[in-house]
Coordinates of all heavy atoms in Angstrom, one line a residue:
E1 N 18.1 48.5 30.6 CA 18.3 49.9 30.4 C 16.9 50.7 30.3 O 16.7 51.7 31.0 CB 19.1 50.2 29.1 CG 19.3 51.7 28.8 CD 20.2 52.4 29.9 OE1 20.9 51.6 30.6 OE2 20.2 53.6 29.9
I2 N 15.9 50.0 29.6 CA 14.6 50.5 29.6 C 13.9 50.6 31.0 O 13.3 51.6 31.3 CB 13.7 49.8 28.6 CG1 14.2 50.0 27.1 CG2 12.2 50.1 28.7 CD1 13.5 49.2 26.1
L3 N 14.1 49.5 31.7 CA 13.5 49.5 33.1 C 14.2 50.6 34.0 O 13.4 51.2 34.8 CB 13.9 48.1 33.7 CG 13.0 46.9 33.2 CD1 13.4 45.7 33.9 CD2 11.5 47.2 33.4
R4 N 15.4 50.9 33.8 CA 16.1 52.0 34.5 C 15.5 53.4 34.2 O 15.2 54.2 35.1 CB 17.6 52.0 34.4 CG 18.3 50.9 35.1 CD 19.9 51.1 35.2 NE 20.4 51.0 33.8 CZ 20.9 49.9 33.3 NH1 20.8 48.7 34.0 NH2 21.4 49.9 32.1
V5 N 15.3 53.6 32.9 CA 14.9 54.9 32.5 C 13.4 55.1 32.6 O 12.9 56.1 32.8 CB 15.3 55.3 31.1 CG1 16.8 55.3 30.9 CG2 14.7 54.3 30.1
E6 N 12.7 53.9 32.7 CA 11.2 54.0 32.8 C 10.7 54.5 34.1 O 9.6 55.1 34.3 CB 10.6 52.5 32.6 CG 9.2 52.4 32.6 CD 8.6 51.0 32.4 OE1 9.5 50.2 32.6 OE2 7.4 50.9 32.3
E7 N 11.5 54.3 35.2 CA 11.1 54.6 36.5 C 10.8 56.2 36.6 O 10.0 56.6 37.4 CB 12.3 54.3 37.6 CG 12.5 52.9 37.7 CD 13.6 52.5 38.6 OE1 14.3 53.5 39.1 OE2 14.0 51.4 38.8
G8 N 11.4 57.0 35.9 CA 11.1 58.5 36.0 C 10.0 58.9 35.0 O 9.8 60.2 34.9
L9 N 9.3 58.0 34.4 CA 8.3 58.5 33.4 C 7.0 58.7 34.0 O 6.6 58.2 35.1 CB 8.1 57.4 32.3 CG 9.3 57.1 31.4 CD1 9.0 56.0 30.4 CD2 9.8 58.3 30.7
T10 N 6.2 59.6 33.4 CA 4.8 59.9 33.9 C 3.9 58.8 33.4 O 4.3 57.9 32.6 CB 4.3 61.2 33.4 OG1 4.2 61.1 31.8 CG2 5.2 62.3 33.7
R11 N 2.6 58.8 33.8 CA 1.7 57.8 33.4 C 1.5 57.8 31.9 O 1.5 56.7 31.3 CB 0.4 57.9 34.1 CG -0.6 56.9 33.8 CD -0.2 55.5 34.1 NE -1.1 54.5 33.7 CZ -1.0 53.2 33.9 NH1 0.1 52.8 34.5 NH2 -1.9 52.3 33.5
S12 N 1.4 59.0 31.4 CA 1.1 59.1 29.9 C 2.3 58.6 29.1 O 2.2 58.0 28.0 CB 0.7 60.5 29.5 OG 1.7 61.4 29.9
Q13 N 3.5 58.9 29.6 CA 4.7 58.5 29.0 C 4.8 56.9 29.0 O 5.3 56.4 28.0 CB 5.9 59.1 29.6 CG 5.9 60.6 29.3 CD 7.0 61.4 30.2 OE1 7.5 60.7 31.2 NE2 7.5 62.5 29.7
K14 N 4.3 56.3 30.1 CA 4.4 54.9 30.2 C 3.5 54.2 29.2 O 3.7 53.2 28.6 CB 4.2 54.5 31.6 CG 5.2 54.7 32.6 CD 5.0 54.2 33.9 CE 6.1 54.5 34.9 NZ 5.9 54.0 36.3
D15 N 2.3 54.9 29.0 CA 1.3 54.3 28.1 C 1.9 54.4 26.7 O 1.7 53.5 25.9 CB 0.0 55.2 28.1 CG -0.8 54.9 29.4 OD1 -0.5 53.9 30.1 OD2 -1.7 55.8 29.8
R16 N 2.6 55.5 26.4 CA 3.3 55.6 25.1 C 4.2 54.6 24.9 O 4.3 54.0 23.8 CB 3.9 57.1 25.0 CG 4.9 57.2 23.9 CD 4.3 57.2 22.5 NE 5.3 57.4 21.5 CZ 5.1 57.1 20.3 NH1 4.1 56.3 19.8 NH2 6.1 57.3 19.4
L17 N 5.1 54.2 26.0 CA 6.0 53.2 25.9 C 5.4 51.9 25.6 O 5.8 51.0 24.8 CB 6.7 53.1 27.2 CG 7.9 52.1 27.3 CD1 9.0 52.3 26.3 CD2 8.6 52.1 28.8
Y18 N 4.2 51.6 26.2 CA 3.4 50.3 26.1 C 3.0 50.2 24.6 O 3.2 49.1 24.0 CB 2.3 50.3 26.9 CG 1.3 49.1 26.7 CD1 1.6 47.9 27.1 CD2 0.1 49.4 26.0 CE1 0.8 46.8 26.9 CE2 -0.8 48.3 25.8 CZ -0.4 47.0 26.2 OH -1.2 46.0 25.9
V19 N 2.5 51.3 24.0 CA 2.2 51.2 22.6 C 3.3 50.9 21.6 O 3.2 50.1 20.8 CB 1.5 52.6 22.2 CG1 1.2 52.7 20.7 CG2 0.2 52.8 22.9
L20 N 4.4 51.6 21.9 CA 5.6 51.3 21.2 C 6.0 49.8 21.3 O 6.5 49.2 20.2 CB 6.8 52.2 21.6 CG 6.6 53.7 21.2 CD1 7.6 54.5 21.8 CD2 6.5 53.9 19.7
F21 N 5.9 49.2 22.4 CA 6.3 47.8 22.6 C 5.4 46.9 21.8 O 5.8 45.8 21.3 CB 6.3 47.5 24.1 CG 7.7 47.5 24.7 CD1 8.0 48.4 25.7 CD2 8.7 46.6 24.3 CE1 9.2 48.4 26.2 CE2 10.0 46.7 24.9 CZ 10.2 47.6 25.9
R22 N 4.1 47.2 21.8 CA 3.1 46.4 21.1 C 3.5 46.5 19.6 O 3.2 45.5 18.9 CB 1.8 47.0 21.2 CG 1.1 46.7 22.7 CD 1.0 45.3 22.9 NE 0.1 44.7 21.9 CZ -1.2 44.5 22.0 NH1 -1.8 45.0 23.1 NH2 -2.0 44.0 21.1
Q23 N 4.1 47.5 19.1 CA 4.5 47.6 17.7 C 5.6 46.6 17.3 O 5.8 46.2 16.2 CB 5.0 49.0 17.4 CG 3.9 50.0 17.4 CD 4.5 51.4 17.1 OE1 5.7 51.6 16.9 NE2 3.6 52.4 17.1
A24 N 6.3 46.1 18.4 CA 7.4 45.1 18.2 C 6.9 43.7 17.9 O 7.7 42.9 17.5 CB 8.3 45.1 19.4
E25 N 5.6 43.5 18.2 CA 5.1 42.1 18.0 C 5.2 41.8 16.5 O 4.7 42.5 15.6 CB 3.6 42.1 18.4 CG 3.5 42.3 20.0 CD 2.1 42.2 20.4 OE1 1.2 42.0 19.5 OE2 1.7 42.4 21.6

C-alpha cells in the first residue's frame, strides 16, 4: 500500500517518508 501511494509523492515528501521509516528501526 505504501509503494502504491508513494508514486505520487514529491522528492521532499519521499525524504520525509524515509525519515519516518528510519524511526521504525
Side-chain angles (χ1 to χ4, degrees):
E1 180 67 16
I2 288 175
L3 287 174
R4 284 194 294 271
V5 298
E6 184 187 10
E7 294 177 356
L9 298 181
T10 64
R11 180 64 185 175
S12 61
Q13 290 170 339
K14 289 182 179 180
D15 289 343
R16 166 65 177 155
L17 182 62
Y18 172 75
V19 171
L20 291 173
F21 263 113
R22 287 296 302 270
Q23 292 177 0
E25 295 179 2

